[in-house]
Amino acid sequence: MDTSLRPQSRPKTELPYEDIEKIERLVWAEAGTEGLEGRNAVRGVILNRLASDRFPDTIDGLLDPNEFEPIRKYGDVYDIPAPEDTLNGQISEFADYLQLGEDASGGRTFFQNL
């Protein structure tokens, strides 16, 4: 029996724009100052959670304030004050990340000191 927290299926990569924007607002809050590698690690963790049967299978279900401090701090993912130009750049990074097809988090479903 596999007891790892690693997802057992490939992360979902077809997401509506609204979900991508939510992910990127959280990425900005969690890793906005860490560079591309840090942002991609957070993206990987979110996508791995989405693929795991241990977490909700929707972005709205995943973005729980008990799981993500920025959502708890700001009250709602849309209240995270990500600058619009930065957010647009990150959405392009997200598309590139998906296209590369590599998991920058190494299969993790939690991010601590990635």
Side-chain angles (χ1 to χ4, degrees):
M1 178 176 168
D2 183 6
T3 60
S4 77
L5 294 179
R6 297 179 192 275
Q8 299 303 310
S9 62
R10 181 166 171 77
K12 183 177 180 178
T13 57
E14 292 183 23
L15 299 167
Y17 181 84
E18 297 82 29
D19 284 354
I20 294 168
E21 182 181 355
K22 291 172 188 175
I23 291 169
E24 290 307 314
R25 285 183 177 281
L26 183 60
V27 167
W28 178 84
E30 292 281 0
T33 62
E34 294 184 23
L36 183 60
E37 185 177 341
R39 291 189 301 273
N40 280 344
V42 174
R43 290 175 181 119
V45 165
I46 292 168
L47 292 174
N48 289 338
R49 284 184 178 197
L50 197 59
S52 173
D53 62 0
R54 295 177 182 231
F55 296 93
D57 62 357
T58 66
I59 293 300
D60 287 336
L62 282 177
L63 299 183
D64 183 321
N66 294 318
E67 294 287 328
F68 296 101
E69 189 274 332
I71 296 173
R72 186 170 50 253
K73 178 180 177 180
Y74 294 106
D76 186 86
V77 71
Y78 283 114
D79 292 332
I80 295 172
E84 199 65 32
D85 59 332
T86 301
L87 191 59
N88 289 334
Q90 284 185 203
I91 289 170
S92 293
E93 285 179 4
F94 184 82
D96 292 344
Y97 177 74
L98 290 179
Q99 194 163 16
L100 288 174
E102 294 179 17
D103 180 0
S105 73
R108 291 176 179 88
T109 53
F110 293 91
F111 43 87
Q112 285 186 309
N113 301 324
L114 294 181

